[in-house]
């Protein structure tokens, strides 16, 4: 099989396989291991502060000399209104009480104590650290940021969950579009409508590939050679894998989270706003069930900040009912092997099945 295409040429990699930027799961070791076998590692920076971004980027650079992407959230930040302030206080009280009932001792900051980071300071870090590949989700970069990054020679990869979003990205001059299928684990990357598109990934991929003229990466449900080749046939030139790597040796998930992951069945996997305020696909647990019965789910990023301390303390206490474990619909064995072994196996299987 000839893997060379527009994606490999643009990104300067041998195999157009992209490790998904899974914040909370991705580690510099995961990114480096992917890049070191000539695929594209993705360092998840989410909405970290500029200082934390520099730290993560420099650590990753110590582990690989090959290209890797950095990934950021480019969401809008809702204004703090009187209603939001009241809703936050009510949700804070509810979650603190719920934690106390489950022997989790937490202290949630007030809404005025929150530090909400804008992606603009991250753009400056990405340029100063000479990162040449930037992927992003939850929105589109503003024109000024696009111009700054392009002047730096940075390749831009935007995320879409609908044809209309793909068109917006292409018209903005984004170099590569990542089509995120509904099957994908973690957060939906939607941004043009409050109603999250519910179109299946392969249907969306086929439509986007017929609409835009830039190279396409597909994300959502790829876990073996058959799913990879199916997305290739429908127009994808790059193949983003996430859930396949959750159980890997380099994953940041704790052992108790990986144990829960390996027991998952299809009935356990849901789309929920409970942890972050944005729809994300993961494993249902007690917190999700309790939260969805309330009216206290705030918009992103306030809900995400609100639940951060709860998730941190639950992780320390190995309490699987109060941590978010994001996972896609394509259940696999969530191998504990190294990233190198998992991705190399996928490459070999694909080459064998494509003869």
């Amino acid at each position: 099989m000839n893997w060379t295409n527009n994606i490999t040429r643009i990104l300067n990699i041998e195999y157009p396989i992209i490790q998904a930027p899974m914040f909370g799961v991705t580690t510099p070791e995961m990114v480096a291991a992917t890049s070191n076998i000539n695929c594209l590692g993705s360092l998840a920076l989410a909405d970290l502060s500029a200082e934390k971004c520099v730290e993560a980027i420099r650590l990753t650079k110590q582990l690989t000399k090959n290209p890797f992407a950095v990934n950021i959230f480019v969401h809008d930040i809702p204004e703090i209104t009187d209603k939001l302030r009241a809703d936050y206080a009510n949700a804070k009280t509810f979650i603190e009480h719920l934690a106390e009932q489950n022997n989790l001792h937490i202290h949630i900051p007030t809404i005025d104590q929150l530090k909400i980071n804008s992606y603009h300071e991250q753009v400056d870090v990405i340029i100063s650290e000479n990162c040449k590949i930037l992927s992003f989700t939850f929105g589109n970069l503003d024109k000024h940021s696009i111009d700054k990054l392009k002047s730096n020679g940075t390749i831009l990869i935007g995320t879409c969950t609908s044809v209309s979003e793909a068109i917006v990205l292409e018209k903005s001059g984004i170099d590569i579009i990542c089509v995120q299928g509904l099957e994908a684990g973690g957060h939906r990357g939607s941004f043009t409508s409050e109603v999250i598109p519910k179109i299946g990934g392969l249907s969306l991929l086929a439509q986007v590939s017929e609409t835009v003229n830039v190279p396409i990466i597909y994300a959502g449900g790829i876990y073996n050679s058959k799913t990879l080749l199916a997305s290739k046939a429908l127009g994808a030139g790059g193949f983003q894998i996430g859930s396949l790597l959750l159980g890997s040796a380099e994953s940041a998930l704790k052992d108790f989270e990986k144990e829960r992951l390996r027991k998952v069945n299809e009935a356990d996997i849901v789309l929920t706003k409970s942890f972050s305020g944005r729809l994300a696909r993961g494993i249902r647990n007690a917190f999700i069930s309790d939260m969805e019965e309330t009216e206290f789910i705030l918009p992103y990023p306030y809900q995400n900040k609100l639940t951060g301390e709860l998730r941190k303390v639950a992780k320390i206490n190995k309490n699987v009912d109060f941590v978010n474990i994001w996972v896609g619909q394509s259940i696999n064995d969530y191998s504990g092997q190294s990233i190198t072994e998992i991705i190399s196996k996928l490459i070999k299987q694909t080459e064998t099945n494509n003869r």
Side-chain angles (χ1 to χ4, degrees):
M1 176 174 176
N2 181 13
W3 292 93
T4 302
N5 60 23
N6 286 342
I7 297 282
T8 59
R9 284 187 284 267
I10 293 171
L11 301 178
N12 192 27
I13 55 179
E14 183 176 354
Y15 303 102
I17 294 175
I18 295 89
Q19 162 251 314
M22 302 170 285
F23 189 65
V25 174
T26 303
T27 59
E29 290 78 12
M30 177 183 285
V31 177
T34 305
S35 291
N36 285 339
I37 54 172
N38 298 310
C39 299
L40 186 71
S42 303
L43 181 64
L45 300 177
D47 58 354
L48 290 177
S49 67
E51 294 76 16
K52 290 290 186 182
C53 289
V54 170
E55 182 182 326
I57 290 168
R58 291 182 180 178
L59 179 54
T60 306
K61 284 181 176 179
Q62 291 174 12
L63 300 173
T64 184
K65 301 302 180 187
N66 288 350
F68 64 90
V70 292
N71 178 268
I72 60 174
F73 296 164
V74 295
H75 56 85
D76 293 326
I77 300 174
E79 179 186 355
I80 298 178
T81 61
D82 289 341
K83 182 179 186 306
L84 178 58
R85 194 181 298 277
D87 289 346
Y88 184 96
N90 289 331
K92 178 177 181 291
T93 299
F94 174 81
I95 292 174
E96 286 175 337
H97 180 64
L98 185 63
E100 183 180 347
Q101 288 179 318
N102 289 273
N103 299 313
L104 296 172
H105 306 292
I106 63 173
H107 175 70
I108 298 175
T110 66
I111 196 167
D112 294 311
Q113 292 172 324
L114 297 178
K115 176 66 170 73
I116 307 293
N117 298 310
S118 164
Y119 74 83
H120 295 94
E121 64 182 41
Q122 294 176 309
V123 168
D124 292 335
V125 166
I126 288 161
I127 291 172
S128 66
E129 291 297 312
N130 202 30
C131 298
K132 293 301 186 182
I133 306 171
L134 169 64
S135 63
F136 56 90
T137 189
F138 297 174
N140 191 15
L141 296 163
D142 64 275
K143 185 179 186 304
H144 179 63
S145 295
I146 291 173
D147 291 344
K148 281 173 66 175
L149 289 158
K150 291 262 188 179
S151 296
N152 185 57
T154 306
I155 298 160
L156 303 178
I157 305 173
T159 305
C160 79
T161 62
S162 67
V163 174
S164 62
E165 289 173 349
I167 293 171
V168 169
L169 293 170
E170 182 180 38
K171 286 184 176 179
S172 299
I174 304 308
D175 301 293
I176 298 171
I177 294 175
C178 179
V179 174
Q180 185 194 38
L182 186 63
E183 304 89 338
H187 285 97
R188 307 293 296 142
S190 307
F191 65 92
T192 60
S193 172
E194 291 186 8
V195 179
I196 302 297
K198 297 293 179 65
I199 183 171
L202 295 183
S203 294
L204 176 60
L205 171 61
Q207 293 178 45
V208 172
S209 68
E210 293 172 355
T211 305
V212 302
N213 294 310
V214 297
I216 294 171
I217 294 168
Y218 177 68
I222 296 178
Y223 73 104
N224 60 14
S225 62
K226 290 182 179 179
T227 48
L228 188 153
L229 290 169
S231 63
K232 182 176 184 292
L234 290 170
F239 315 98
Q240 184 162 291
I241 54 174
S243 294
L244 184 64
L245 309 177
L246 289 174
S248 67
E250 293 87 353
S251 166
L253 290 183
K254 302 298 184 183
D255 288 343
F256 80 95
E257 293 171 303
K258 292 178 181 179
E259 181 180 352
R260 175 65 184 95
L261 186 66
R262 291 175 182 130
K263 294 178 181 177
V264 73
N265 61 61
E266 59 186 18
D268 296 330
I269 301 174
V270 296
L271 277 169
T272 183
K273 291 185 177 182
S274 299
F275 279 105
S276 71
R278 286 188 66 100
L279 270 182
R281 186 177 296 284
I283 300 175
R284 178 179 288 280
N285 58 15
F287 178 78
I288 291 174
S289 297
D290 289 341
M291 202 72 202
E292 288 184 344
E293 292 181 2
T294 76
E295 299 176 354
F296 298 143
I297 299 178
L298 308 174
Y300 186 92
Y302 298 104
Q303 182 76 9
N304 196 52
K305 298 294 184 182
L306 180 71
T307 65
E309 181 68 12
L310 174 67
R311 287 175 282 151
K312 178 181 175 181
V313 172
K315 192 177 283 266
I316 292 170
N317 284 270
K318 301 180 180 180
N319 188 327
V320 75
D321 273 321
F322 293 89
V323 295
N324 59 282
I325 304 177
W326 301 139
V327 63
Q329 286 183 324
S330 293
I331 295 171
N332 60 84
D333 63 0
Y334 306 106
S335 170
Q337 292 180 314
S338 70
I339 293 291
T340 301
E341 292 172 302
I342 295 170
I343 298 180
S344 294
K345 179 181 178 182
L346 175 63
I347 291 170
K348 290 177 183 177
Q349 285 180 341
T350 303
E351 290 173 343
T352 298
N353 290 336
N354 195 52
R355 286 174 181 168

